[in-house]
Structures are given as C-alpha cells and as structure tokens.
C-alpha cells in the first residue's frame, strides 16, 4: 500500500465513544450533521474506521490548529 | 468550532449568511479577472491554466485539470546536487520512440522496419541503441537488432497491414520514464537552495514509486489524484492551496476564510463535489431551491411525480415564495413554554 503520509494531510484520529458523546452534547448536534468521510478513504482505511465512527482531524491553519470532525459513511 | 482559539468577538454571528458573503467575495474580483490576463513569457516551461478558467475548473470539480503539473520534491540526499537531481529527472521524463527516432523505414518486401535513431537525442536522454532494442524485444515481442547504431526489427510477416501496425506500436512505445509523467524541468528554490522538479504530467502515482522522490512533499495540481492517494482532507487542503495560488497570481486578495468555506462545502460529503448543477446546487434538499437555479421544469415535474416535500428551511425557497428568509434575525422564531401559557389570563 502506498504511503498516505503527506504535508497536505492533517492528523486523523479515531474518537472514543465517550469523546463522541461529549462532542455531540457540546455542539448540540446529531452525528448526521457532521461532514462526512467515506469508509474507503485512504485515511479512514489506515485507521480501520467503520461507518458510524467519528474521526477527529487536527487541522493546521498557519500557527494555530483547530479540530474538525467527520463521520464515517459507507462508500 | 473555532471558539477555543479565537476571541469570541472574532467569531461569526449566529445566522450570518456566510455562504452568500463568500460567493460575493470571490465573485466580485472574479469579474475583473476576465479582463486582466497576463502571462510571464518565456520563464515557465509549462504554462498552466490560470485566472478565471482555472477557478472555474476548481469549483466545478473537473476530474482532470486541463494543464496538469506535478511538483516533485526530492529527498535531502539528492536535492542539494544538480547532477543527482538531473539523474532522477531522466528516470521520470517520459521518452517515447517517436521522440528519439529520426526516420522510420519500412521494408515491406522483407518484412523489416528500420529505425534511424537521433544520436543527439539519445545522448541527452542517456540511452543506448542496445537498451532500446532489448526493450522492443521484451515489451513488443519482436526481433530487434542493432546495426550501425540503428535498430532493425524483423516482423516475420509480409502482410502490409501488420507491418504498419507494428511500426505504429514501436513509435508509441515508452522507451524510458514514467507513462503520463510528461517532461520535466529542474528548478531551484531560492529560499532553501534545494532543487526540485516540475513536470507537465499528472501520473503522481507512478512518480511516487520512484526511489529518491520525497513522498511527503511531492504534490500536483490534480485535486482528484490527491483525493485518491491521500483522502478527502488532503484534497480539501489542495483545493484551498490551488484557489489561493490562482488568486494570488492574479494579484487579487480574497480573505482565505471564504476559500476555506468553499472548499469545506465542496468536500463535506466525503467526495469532491462541484458547486454547479451536478454538485452542491443540484443536490440541495429543497425542491424550490433547485428549481430556482437551473432546469426548473425537470425538478418541479420530478417533485410532483414523486411527492417530494419542501421544508422551507433555506434562503432561496423562502425568497421564492415571499417569506422571511432564515438568516440573521429571520432565523429566530418565537415560542412560548406550555407552563407559561397556562399563566396567561384572558382579559376580562
């Protein structure tokens, strides 16, 4: 498998159930409101994510970084 | 989501129509771009699409860019030396038989094809006639021999059609380099002093497989290639990078947050979607919003036939029917608690 590491790709991390619960409460949303990521996405495959999982992405924007969340969907 | 880093006063107000503001902020300077198109003559070896055509290409999510460019960065053990970089470039440069052959002579009575090679081209590419002959033997399953520096191929047939087909095949054969990688040039980064390669092809998958190529930094302007290799987040960042670069080239300053939002919207479904008829606008939930954009009858008839429901939550559909749209103060609704309702006494 080719390397999926690249300067364009921020860090991806699988979230635990507890973290997901806190996140959804904090943002006051249902998981379906989140942006999506396909199950077949190279980064999702690398983490072994299944549909329904939420991936936390540590986006870098210059010097600051902020979290972004994507829910894994089939495809 | 950004509140932990930014002061609350920098945050967008609730109900702010960020999408409309982004569209106007990019659209207004876009109108100036058509009139102002300049080129730097001579410097660029690969003239890539720039200006408005490139912006349209990006936001429409075209599968292939009209001028693919790959920026190949090299590992630190190579990138300080020009000679080593040149050596690696030769491995990548796509050389076809037609590029190094001076003439092709077909002898139909003997069933032979003679390829007269261009000595200078061979020297430049660092190839020998022998290497090419063995490549023809291996890949095309023909008998090739070197005679006086030229290649003689016997086809074992006297059929005119077959000989002609063989000669076409030979001319198209890849002699060295990577299929679809195009031809590159060496550039030097003024800041760091390292050498890197710029190639006019888009076969980033193949280029990544070459030893000595920095797989972490090598990139391309082909958003879909990035998406295939590195996933949706990589594609999103590549999209923002390309949008910013194109606008900067034209000396147009747009706040990067507008571009971030466009890229986020385009990648929010996990795949790259254009903004037009086949993308974001064409896949809106509201029937009226879709009908107001393009192909009005198609959407209305489909909605009527299948009993679609419009929940009237968007901006477009509310303007269409003359209701207050849900942005700004319009996005707040008044409600009364049930227990408070009981307290209200009717006037006597």
């Amino acid at each position: 498998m080719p390397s999926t590491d690249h300067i364009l790709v921020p860090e991806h991390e699988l979230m635990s159930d507890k973290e997901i619960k806190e996140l959804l409460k904090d943002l006051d949303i249902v998981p379906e409101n989140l942006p999506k990521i396909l199950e077949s996405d190279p980064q999702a495959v690398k983490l072994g994510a299944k549909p329904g999982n939420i991936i936390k992405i540590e986006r870098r924007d210059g010097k600051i970084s902020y979290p972004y969340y994507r829910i894994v969907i089939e495809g | 989501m950004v509140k932990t880093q930014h002061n609350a006063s920098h945050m967008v107000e609730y109900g702010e129509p960020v999408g409309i503001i982004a569209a106007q902020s990019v659209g207004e300077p876009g109108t100036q771009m058509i009139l102002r198109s300049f080129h730097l003559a001579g410097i660029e070896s690969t003239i890539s699409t720039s200006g408005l055509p490139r912006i349209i290409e990006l936001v429409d999510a075209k599968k292939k860019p009209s001028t693919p460019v790959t920026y190949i960065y090299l590992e630190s053990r190579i990138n300080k030396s020009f000679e080593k970089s040149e050596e690696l470039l030769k491995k990548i440069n796509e050389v076809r038989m037609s590029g190094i052959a001076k003439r092709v002579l077909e002898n139909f009575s003997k069933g032979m094809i003679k390829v007269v090679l261009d000595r200078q081209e061979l020297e430049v590419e660092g190839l020998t006639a022998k290497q090419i002959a063995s490549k023809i033997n291996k890949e095309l399953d023909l008998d090739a021999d070197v005679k006086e520096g030229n290649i003689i191929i016997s086809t074992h047939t006297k059929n005119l059609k077959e000989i002609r087909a063989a000669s076409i095949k030979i001319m198209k054969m890849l002699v060295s380099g990577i299929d679809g990688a195009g031809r590159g040039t060496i550039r030097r980064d003024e800041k760091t002093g390292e050498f890197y390669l710029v190639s006019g092809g888009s076969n980033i998958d193949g280029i990544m497989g070459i030893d000595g190529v920095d797989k972490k930094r090598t990139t391309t302007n082909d958003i879909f290639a990035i998406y295939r290799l590195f996933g949706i987040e990589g594609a999103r960042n590549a999209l923002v990078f390309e949008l910013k670069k194109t606008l900067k080239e034209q000396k147009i300053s747009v706040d990067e947050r507008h571009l971030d939002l466009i890229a986020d919207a385009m990648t929010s479904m996990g795949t790259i979607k254009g903004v037009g008829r086949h993308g974001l606008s064409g896949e809106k939930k509201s029937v009226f919003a879709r009908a107001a954009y393009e192909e009005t009858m198609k959407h209305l008839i489909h909605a009527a036939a299948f009993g679609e429901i419009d929940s009237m939550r968007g901006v477009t559909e509310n303007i269409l029917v003359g209701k207050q749209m849900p942005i700004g103060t319009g996005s707040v609704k008044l409600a009364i608690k049930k227990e408070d309702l009981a307290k209200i006494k009717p006037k006597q």
Side-chain angles (χ1 to χ4, degrees), chain B residues 106-176:
Chain B
E106 292 153 318
N107 189 334
F108 293 115
S109 61
K110 285 183 190 162
M112 308 265 260
I113 302 166
K114 185 179 177 187
V115 181
V116 181
L117 295 169
D118 192 327
R119 301 278 142 74
Q120 282 172 333
E121 286 288 336
L122 276 186
E123 208 175 303
V124 170
E125 304 297 346
L127 296 159
T128 61
K130 226 176 190 175
Q131 284 176 341
I132 297 164
S134 71
K135 193 139 196 178
I136 294 173
N137 279 336
K138 231 192 294 169
E139 281 181 21
L140 301 178
D141 210 17
L142 293 164
D143 281 337
D145 250 324
V146 183
K147 223 177 242 175
E148 292 157 14
N150 297 321
I151 297 173
I152 314 277
I153 302 134
S154 44
T155 52
H156 306 298
T157 170
K158 284 184 184 164
N159 187 323
L160 193 141
K161 245 185 179 170
E162 280 174 41
I163 295 169
R164 184 43 65 81
S167 89
I168 289 171
K169 238 190 197 168
I170 289 162
M171 293 314 280
K172 277 188 184 162
M173 193 186 83
L174 187 73
V175 182
S176 84

Side-chain angles (χ1 to χ4, degrees), chain B residues 279-310:
Chain B
L280 297 174
S281 289
E283 285 174 16
K284 279 182 181 171
K285 264 195 188 130
S286 163
V287 181
F288 285 138
R290 270 181 280 130
Y293 177 61
E294 264 174 18
E295 298 176 304
T296 307
M297 284 317 285
K298 185 185 123 185
H299 287 119
L300 290 181
I301 289 169
H302 186 274
F306 293 93
E308 280 185 56
I309 293 166
D310 198 323

Side-chain angles (χ1 to χ4, degrees), chain B residues 48-277:
Chain B
S48 54
T49 319
S50 63
L52 196 70
R54 178 66 181 146
I55 298 280
I56 291 170
E57 205 172 271
L58 286 167
V59 296
D60 278 350
K62 276 256 203 77
K63 281 263 150 52
K64 279 259 169 262
S66 54
T67 47
V69 180
T70 311
Y71 299 89
I72 306 158
Y73 286 88
L74 310 171
E75 279 174 9
S76 53
R77 63 190 161 90
I78 295 170
N79 67 15
K80 291 284 179 287
S81 143
F82 183 81
E83 284 74 31
K84 281 184 185 169
S85 307
E86 201 176 22
E87 209 177 291
L88 201 115
L89 177 64
K90 273 180 190 163
K91 279 190 206 163
I92 291 167
N93 261 351
E94 185 183 359
V95 181
R96 299 207 175 262
M97 201 66 181
S98 51
I100 51 166
K102 220 185 229 168
R103 292 174 90 182
V104 184
L105 306 163
E106 292 153 318
N107 189 334
F108 293 115
S109 61
K110 285 183 190 162
M112 308 265 260
I113 302 166
K114 185 179 177 187
V115 181
V116 181
L117 295 169
D118 192 327
R119 301 278 142 74
Q120 282 172 333
E121 286 288 336
L122 276 186
E123 208 175 303
V124 170
E125 304 297 346
L127 296 159
T128 61
K130 226 176 190 175
Q131 284 176 341
I132 297 164
S134 71
K135 193 139 196 178
I136 294 173
N137 279 336
K138 231 192 294 169
E139 281 181 21
L140 301 178
D141 210 17
L142 293 164
D143 281 337
D145 250 324
V146 183
K147 223 177 242 175
E148 292 157 14
N150 297 321
I151 297 173
I152 314 277
I153 302 134
S154 44
T155 52
H156 306 298
T157 170
K158 284 184 184 164
N159 187 323
L160 193 141
K161 245 185 179 170
E162 280 174 41
I163 295 169
R164 184 43 65 81
S167 89
I168 289 171
K169 238 190 197 168
I170 289 162
M171 293 314 280
K172 277 188 184 162
M173 193 186 83
L174 187 73
V175 182
S176 84
I178 292 162
D179 194 18
R183 298 190 65 82
T185 47
I186 302 176
R187 303 248 180 104
R188 187 164 172 271
D189 194 313
E190 294 297 334
K191 271 188 212 146
T192 57
E194 66 166 320
F195 292 102
Y196 65 98
L197 315 174
V198 179
S199 140
S202 73
N203 187 353
I204 192 170
D205 312 54
I207 289 164
M208 288 288 197
I210 290 218
D211 191 42
V213 171
D214 189 339
K215 290 164 189 70
K216 271 196 169 170
R217 290 189 298 157
T218 293
T219 177
T220 167
N221 68 354
D222 186 347
I223 307 292
F224 276 85
I226 300 270
Y227 173 58
R228 271 200 317 276
L229 280 173
F230 306 115
I232 193 72
E233 273 296 309
R236 183 257 178 200
N237 285 337
L239 201 58
V240 173
F241 178 80
E242 286 292 322
L243 283 170
K244 276 184 198 168
K245 194 179 81 181
T246 313
L247 290 172
K248 206 179 161 194
E249 268 172 10
Q250 301 276 318
K251 304 212 167 64
I252 285 168
S253 60
V254 174
D255 194 296
E256 52 188 66
R257 264 155 271 202
H258 298 310
L259 306 175
D260 285 353
L261 184 77
I262 293 170
D264 276 343
M266 285 173 68
T267 56
S268 69
M269 293 313 288
T271 53
I272 308 164
K273 288 239 156 72
V275 293
R277 195 193 310 173

Side-chain angles (χ1 to χ4, degrees), chain B residues 1-17:
Chain B
M1 256 183 248
V2 206
K3 73 180 168 199
T4 44
Q5 274 81 22
H6 290 301
N7 191 306
S9 64
H10 293 172
M11 276 178 71
V12 176
E13 294 281 336
Y14 178 80
E16 190 95 5

